[in-house]
Amino acid sequence: MKQNKYKILLVEDEDNIRNLVATMLETAGYQAILAKSCSEAKMMYTSYLPDLIILDLGLPDMDGIHLLDHVRQNALTPIIVLSARTSEADKIEALDRGANDYVIKPFSSGELLARVRAALRNNRFSAEEGRLPGGRFTLKELTIDYDARQVYIQSEPIRLTQTEYNIVALLSENCGKMMTYAAIIKAIWGGYAQEGSIKKLQVNMANIRRKIGDKPGKQNYIANELGVGYRLNE
Ligand code: CA
């Protein structure tokens, strides 16, 4: 057995889904730690300090949001929420309370594993490089030089406004994480999300996507979940 496997805490009370996801994670080379309730998950979290948490919200003892709050009090461990709740309000609440991503049941194993890789990658990136001078970010043909505040596609410099650059840099620091409108607006303009600021964000985002060559219906750099937020894709 490899010594340095990523440990993933899987919190899910439905036996079928828990077994399925556990097998999927083990097959992909991760170590799965299993919990069936919020209180069990808290114990497992403390004893194993996992690298990532996959969290069902509908748990028998407490809402999974309690575990999210518990972990976020002192750790940035990536958390992917797994839920049957599909409303935008539920997604936004989980994301704004610190979830990195949100996967709706039913989901494909490919989809969940892609989100797991993205969350682990982002965590590694923030820990190792962050915004340190000289730090660079690359994703396929997109490169960001944080010192020069310059974005490139295939080594061609892209002309972005200051605001557009700030948005791209913010998304890159959270690569793979779904960022809500509110989180982006607060980070970029310092205000709260309301109709005007969301409109402003959407206009900036449309310009960014055009400039970096994202097109509707293609595999793009920036994914938009309508009514929720944006994610820079792995
Ligand atoms: Ca459940």
Side-chain angles (χ1 to χ4, degrees):
M1 193 180 117
K2 270 195 352 214
Q3 293 286 306
N4 57 351
K5 282 186 177 184
Y6 281 113
K7 287 175 285 185
I8 299 183
L9 173 59
L10 169 62
V11 191
E12 168 64 73
D13 61 320
E14 285 171 62
D15 294 341
N16 288 344
I17 300 181
R18 195 179 55 255
N19 293 337
L20 194 80
V21 175
T23 306
M24 192 175 95
L25 293 173
E26 301 272 0
T27 307
Y30 302 110
Q31 181 191 347
I33 300 152
L34 309 179
K36 297 176 196 179
S37 66
C38 208
S39 51
E40 199 183 355
K42 279 185 191 174
M43 285 186 331
M44 295 299 195
Y45 171 73
T46 311
S47 6
Y48 288 92
L49 294 176
D51 298 294
L52 180 137
I53 301 171
I54 297 176
L55 177 64
D56 176 32
L57 292 182
L59 295 167
D61 55 345
M62 276 174 268
D63 195 300
I65 286 284
H66 287 281
L67 184 74
L68 186 58
D69 290 342
H70 176 75
V71 172
R72 280 292 171 268
Q73 278 167 20
N74 46 31
L76 291 171
T77 314
I79 299 176
I80 297 174
V81 165
L82 206 58
S83 180
R85 299 173 197 171
T86 56
S87 84
E88 284 168 6
D90 285 327
K91 289 185 205 174
I92 290 168
E93 188 193 1
L95 293 167
D96 279 340
R97 286 169 87 154
N100 293 60
D101 214 334
Y102 203 107
V103 177
I104 301 289
K105 294 176 185 173
F107 51 87
S108 72
S109 63
E111 181 188 6
L112 182 60
L113 287 173
R115 304 290 180 85
V116 165
R117 281 194 303 273
L120 288 171
R121 178 192 193 276
N122 175 45
N123 209 39
R124 231 166 33 235
F125 178 76
S126 323
E128 289 170 9
E129 302 189 44
R131 292 190 92 168
L132 293 174
R136 269 175 179 256
F137 173 88
T138 52
L139 179 68
K140 292 175 273 184
E141 290 164 353
L142 180 145
T143 302
I144 303 172
D145 179 335
Y146 292 122
D147 276 353
R149 295 174 57 82
Q150 179 65 56
V151 174
Y152 301 86
I153 298 280
Q154 284 185 319
S155 312
E156 284 296 314
I158 305 297
R159 288 176 185 275
L160 297 176
T161 66
Q162 292 297 318
T163 301
E164 288 163 5
Y165 170 81
N166 289 340
I167 294 172
V168 175
L170 177 71
L171 291 177
S172 73
E173 287 164 9
N174 296 278
C175 183
K177 177 171 163 35
M178 175 61 73
M179 296 204 68
T180 61
Y181 297 148
I184 301 173
I185 288 163
K186 186 155 178 260
I188 301 295
W189 292 286
Y192 291 99
Q194 14 97 348
E195 209 179 309
S197 54
I198 290 175
K199 185 75 201 153
K200 190 161 63 169
L201 172 61
Q202 286 169 334
V203 169
N204 274 279
M205 208 56 95
N207 289 334
I208 292 168
R209 296 172 93 185
R210 181 173 44 77
K211 290 178 183 180
I212 65 175
D214 273 2
K215 292 191 183 69
K218 253 183 44 181
Q219 174 67 24
N220 287 320
Y221 288 108
I222 297 171
N224 176 21
E225 194 167 333
L226 211 61
V228 178
Y230 296 94
R231 173 202 296 116
L232 192 67
N233 281 312
E234 187 196 23

